[in-house]
Amino acid sequence: MNENTSQVVKLRIWLWPGSGLERLVKKYMAQHPGVDVEIVSFQLDDVLPGLMTSLATKADTPDLVLLEASQLNQVKRFQNEFFNLYDYGDERVHYLDWKWRQAESKDGGFLFAMPVDIGPVALAYRRDLFQMAGLPVEREEVAEVLTNWEQMEQVGLEIKKKTGAYLIDNLTNVFMSYLNQFDGYYLTPMDHELDPHVKEAWDQAIRFHKLGLNAGLPSQSSAWAAAAVNGRFAVVVAPSWLHGAFKKVAPSTAGVWDLARAPGLPSNWSGTCLAVPRTSRNPHAAYELAQWLTAPAQQLDNFIGSGNFPSTPESYSTREFLEVRDAFFHDAPVGQIYSYTALRYKAAYNDFEYEGIERMIKEGLRRVESEGADPEHTWEDIVRRLKQINTGG
């Protein structure tokens, strides 16, 4: 793009709070005086309905839109409504293979979006409660005694016995982190039956509940915030993007929490990407902005500034990345801990629209922990409803 031209290129980008991209967009405009970018802020749940409306009406359309992973899967059936970013470049060498593949069509010929951040999972734990229970408190030792979910149960029972605190904050965090060890599939690709790992994840979450280890507090709620401050639960199975919630709602606990590798296999929970809708007035300029925002240097900048974890592995070996320590989490080397998981995570291609099933299961878990619903009957009801959906009944 010729920046010496007197005509200013105008772009509109849709973002939501917490992406960290607002600051980078302003930096881009400072470096590219021929580009004027309007930032429109949405709440996460409003992005997709707003996008579908704008595509249908051709009004107030974005040139770039930030989508969460499950939202991307929902729009893949509308391929004609998006530009194929392979028409403008191929930057895959800079990104984690599984994350790049997530942004493609099933046949690999269409690139819907540029990868932004990812959500590798680690274990946030309270050092004081572990110490009171006579357990190791240093992060490497904690990782060694919590290599699997069975060990986590035993640690939880010890913490409950010695301190009275619950092990976990809620069942959803356990379910999601467990399931996402196995690609995050909900239905098998061939016959669209429930994937066996979904029931495994449900059973693991329910085991914590039946053992009395679950505080039953929805993440980021006011009750969750109060419990985080008061030490009512000892661990949170935490994707990297949950850090902001800790710091926002429980700032007084800075230094009390620490980070270690999560139990089980490497897990990733969600992540984002930038897509260019077909209604964009300047798709090439939009792609150039997306490419710049998601390049390794900017992803590293966003990680240092906002904590959003890069999908660009070359960022992981930089001195700036390796030296990042988070005072809130007892000076934990957050980059090193989360990159260990990101580099070992494996995911097959998944374009299934799983949001409805995920919402149904999360609601079932909520009913179990807050309303005392019977877990077995609740699961049977979920399976019955899914069969009705699949058979059109």
Side-chain angles (χ1 to χ4, degrees):
M1 181 166 43
N2 184 2
E3 294 182 1
N4 295 321
T5 181
S6 58
Q7 186 172 356
V8 174
V9 173
K10 294 184 178 295
L11 297 173
R12 179 184 292 129
I13 184 171
W14 286 9
L15 303 175
W16 66 72
S19 71
L21 296 178
E22 294 88 348
R23 178 179 58 84
L24 292 177
V25 169
K26 293 174 182 177
K27 186 175 179 181
Y28 183 83
M29 285 192 287
Q31 296 180 9
H32 300 77
V35 181
D36 181 23
V37 184
E38 176 191 1
I39 299 173
V40 181
S41 185
F42 278 77
Q43 292 302 311
L44 173 61
D45 291 340
D46 296 332
V47 171
L48 201 54
L51 179 62
M52 292 296 100
T53 299
S54 74
L55 292 175
T57 63
K58 306 296 188 289
D60 299 321
T61 55
D63 296 283
L64 264 179
V65 57
L66 186 69
L67 296 172
E68 188 265 341
S70 67
Q71 295 173 329
L72 177 63
N73 277 12
Q74 291 181 73
V75 304
K76 282 185 176 180
R77 60 193 173 100
F78 303 108
Q79 182 170 307
N80 291 337
E81 298 289 349
F82 294 87
F83 282 98
N84 183 357
L85 300 189
Y86 278 139
D87 292 340
Y88 303 103
D90 185 345
E91 301 288 331
R92 76 182 75 197
V93 67
H94 298 297
Y95 300 86
L96 292 162
D97 290 341
W98 62 266
K99 179 66 174 181
W100 184 267
R101 184 73 180 104
Q102 186 183 70
E104 288 184 316
S105 60
K106 191 171 185 177
D107 64 9
F110 193 99
L111 183 65
F112 282 89
M114 291 295 292
V116 189
D117 55 12
I118 58 175
V121 172
L123 190 76
Y125 67 97
R126 285 189 66 116
R127 293 173 62 93
D128 54 346
L129 292 178
F130 271 61
Q131 187 170 34
M132 288 170 61
L135 295 165
V137 296
E138 301 305 325
R139 58 186 68 100
E140 286 301 323
E141 295 175 331
V142 169
E144 288 178 7
V145 300
L146 290 174
T147 59
N148 58 54
W149 297 91
E150 292 76 16
Q151 289 176 322
M152 191 162 161
E153 290 178 10
Q154 295 307 310
V155 165
L157 291 170
E158 195 68 16
I159 289 173
K160 188 74 180 291
K161 177 182 176 182
K162 297 289 183 59
T163 73
Y166 296 101
L167 174 66
I168 59 172
D169 53 346
N170 60 69
L171 300 183
T172 293
N173 281 353
V174 173
F175 173 84
M176 294 297 300
S177 298
Y178 188 100
L179 179 62
N180 287 331
Q181 297 174 116
F182 308 101
D183 300 335
Y185 274 126
Y186 284 87
L187 300 182
T188 54
M190 296 300 294
D191 53 19
H192 280 205
E193 294 292 327
L194 265 177
D195 189 284
H197 293 307
V198 179
K199 185 58 162 61
E200 285 182 26
W202 173 275
D203 288 343
Q204 182 58 71
I206 295 302
R207 274 189 60 80
F208 283 126
H209 185 72
K210 288 183 175 180
L211 290 169
L213 304 179
N214 173 37
L217 301 169
S219 294
Q220 305 181 56
S221 64
S222 57
W224 184 88
V229 172
N230 297 329
R232 283 194 61 203
F233 52 82
V235 308
V236 176
V237 191
S240 52
W241 44 261
L242 196 58
H243 286 196
F246 274 102
K247 297 170 185 177
K248 181 179 179 180
V249 304
S252 63
T253 62
V256 173
W257 295 93
D258 207 331
L259 286 175
R261 292 194 299 274
L265 299 172
S267 179
N268 181 82
W269 186 351
S270 191
T272 64
C273 56
L274 283 167
V276 182
R278 180 62 68 171
T279 49
S280 172
R281 299 152 296 176
N282 295 287
H284 190 267
Y287 170 78
E288 289 185 334
L289 173 57
Q291 190 276 329
W292 187 88
L293 288 172
T294 62
Q298 278 65 251
Q299 291 215 28
L300 176 61
D301 187 346
N302 199 11
F303 171 62
I304 294 172
S306 304
N308 297 287
F309 204 80
S311 59
T312 47
E314 60 197 80
S315 304
Y316 305 165
S317 59
T318 64
R319 179 178 56 81
E320 296 92 337
F321 179 90
L322 294 171
E323 289 181 352
V324 171
R325 291 183 175 271
D326 195 324
F328 186 90
F329 292 100
H330 202 73
D331 285 331
V334 289
Q336 297 176 40
I337 291 170
Y338 280 108
S339 63
Y340 178 92
T341 297
L343 290 169
R344 289 161 178 80
Y345 178 67
K346 305 293 182 184
Y349 183 77
N350 181 357
D351 61 358
F352 179 73
E353 293 181 42
Y354 55 82
E355 185 181 36
I357 294 178
E358 184 173 287
R359 184 168 55 247
M360 195 182 302
I361 293 174
K362 287 180 178 179
E363 174 61 18
L365 292 170
R366 186 200 64 78
R367 288 176 53 217
V368 168
E369 64 187 358
S370 65
E371 299 175 11
D374 179 79
E376 284 71 30
H377 291 165
T378 303
W379 177 255
E380 290 168 2
D381 181 58
I382 290 170
V383 172
R384 178 184 55 79
R385 290 162 63 192
L386 287 176
K387 285 183 177 178
Q388 288 179 339
I389 293 172
N390 288 339
T391 59

